[in-house]
Amino acid sequence: MTKKNITKLNIFLDIFLLTIFTIIFYLNIPIISQKDIFIPRGSIKSIITYLENHAYDINKIDRFFLILIGKPQSGFIDIKHTFLSKADFLYALANSKTSLKEVTLIPGETMYFFNKILAQNFNLDPKELEKAYKKYAPYDDGVIFADTYKLPVGASADFLMEFLVNKSLKRHQELSHKVLREYNENQWFRFISIASIIQKEAANTSEMPLISAVIYNRIKKGMPLQMDGSLNYGKYSHTKVSAERIRTDNTIFNTYKNKGVPKTPVGSVSIEAIKATINPANVKYLYFVKNKNGSHTFSETYEEHKNNITKK
């Protein structure tokens, strides 16, 4: 090997070593981050731009490292640490999974209390959740299906409500097409309004078709429903209905003062309550009262009803 070739080799090795040391130094730059990071859908280039615009110490050079390591998963991901080296941060971006938390909306619960549950679990403002819900939902309550949802940690109130409402509206449409072979939003949510009262009133699922029948029978006769469950709306979901409430509540939910079914549901509903609404029992009952067993005793006449009250 000539002296000239040795010189070229030495220069090449120096450049190579300098490059290696530069990369090592670069990849050990410390980065401060949140544990939960939102990754938008799109190319690695667009992800890098998004993070750069959100005050992360990341730039176009990092695009090449991510191409080698792997593309980050979209949505909220949990990188588990808040202080990392550049290398660890990029590796975490490429390999971390979506950070999810389970939250349950039980049948009969109202959005007032569900918003409180969401706020507590996802560190959000209940008022912001309420505002977001009204932005996307066509009715004040009963739109979101009673179910358990896995939701991304760190999501905004707007993101959560858009997801929950859109997912639920899709389920409403699918169920309507399945049982009615069509979807008419006004007609369907009238059923949901009835189902929400059934949900509040029934002691168990077997009673639901009977209570459904009572509702339709009373409507057919022009009688007010006179059901306490309709007054368990919003913040009154867990409040016992008193005679004073019945006298002073002037909302559409007071079925002692107003005939028919409220135009908006009084809470979330189960599939069983919806089925009972669409397929009421073939009975002539007009009244029911809670009995000693915790269920209800049904009757066709007011005289029978009064006798059942005395047996409580």
Side-chain angles (χ1 to χ4, degrees), residues 38 75-76 132 136 151-152 154-165:
F38 178 72
F76 282 87
Y136 295 106
L151 302 173
S156 66
D158 192 86
F159 179 94
L160 289 182
M161 281 306 171
E162 182 181 18
F163 172 80
L164 289 168
V165 170

Side-chain angles (χ1 to χ4, degrees), residues 19-248:
T19 302
I20 294 297
F21 284 125
T22 301
I23 292 173
I24 292 172
F25 175 80
Y26 179 78
L27 291 176
N28 277 280
I29 293 173
I31 286 184
I32 297 175
S33 170
Q34 294 180 329
K35 288 180 64 179
D36 299 298
I37 303 176
F38 178 72
I39 304 296
R41 292 184 182 275
S43 64
I44 289 178
K45 181 180 178 181
S46 65
I47 292 170
I48 292 293
T49 301
Y50 174 85
L51 293 173
E52 189 177 11
N53 291 337
H54 284 75
Y56 283 92
D57 186 13
I58 196 167
N59 53 63
K60 295 176 182 178
I61 297 174
D62 300 312
R63 175 186 173 191
F64 298 102
F65 290 109
L66 285 179
I67 290 173
L68 293 172
I69 301 171
K71 184 181 176 181
Q73 181 176 325
S74 61
F76 282 87
I77 61 172
D78 180 9
I79 65 171
K80 302 188 183 302
H81 302 283
T82 57
F83 189 83
L84 309 92
S85 68
K86 172 84 76 168
D88 289 337
F89 180 74
L90 294 173
Y91 181 83
L93 283 182
N95 292 278
S96 296
K97 301 300 181 182
T98 304
S99 178
L100 301 173
K101 181 180 286 189
E102 283 193 355
V103 63
T104 300
L105 172 59
I106 63 172
E109 191 55 279
T110 63
M111 283 306 302
Y112 178 85
F113 283 99
F114 188 49
N115 282 337
K116 287 184 176 293
I117 293 170
L118 287 172
Q120 184 177 4
N121 280 275
F122 295 92
N123 195 28
L124 294 168
D125 183 348
K127 292 182 179 179
E128 288 298 315
L129 287 162
E130 181 183 2
K131 181 180 177 181
Y133 174 82
K134 289 181 177 180
K135 176 181 175 182
Y136 295 106
Y139 295 89
D140 289 341
D141 217 322
V143 174
I144 299 177
F145 260 94
D147 205 345
T148 296
Y149 298 91
K150 291 183 178 181
L151 302 173
V153 174
S156 66
D158 192 86
F159 179 94
L160 289 182
M161 281 306 171
E162 182 181 18
F163 172 80
L164 289 168
V165 170
N166 288 343
K167 183 178 178 68
S168 293
L169 285 175
K170 185 178 179 181
R171 287 183 66 185
H172 282 295
Q173 292 179 31
E174 290 172 349
L175 186 58
S176 179
H177 280 293
K178 184 176 181 179
V179 298
L180 302 176
R181 297 186 179 181
E182 64 174 357
Y183 177 70
N184 178 292
E185 185 177 279
N186 291 331
Q187 179 193 33
W188 179 256
F189 274 95
R190 183 177 185 273
F191 286 140
I192 299 301
S193 293
I194 295 171
S196 68
I197 296 176
I198 294 171
Q199 192 76 60
K200 296 278 191 179
E201 292 285 346
N204 49 60
T205 56
S206 63
E207 282 190 355
M208 288 182 172
L210 297 174
I211 291 175
S212 179
V214 172
I215 291 174
Y216 285 115
N217 290 342
R218 290 180 78 91
I219 291 173
K220 188 175 180 179
K221 287 183 174 290
M223 300 169 64
L225 299 186
Q226 296 181 316
M227 294 188 178
D228 289 359
S230 65
L231 282 165
N232 288 134
Y233 63 88
K235 65 181 181 181
Y236 301 108
S237 180
H238 304 285
T239 303
K240 186 176 180 180
V241 177
S242 64
E244 183 181 0
R245 272 287 310 287
I246 293 171
R247 286 195 304 271
T248 59

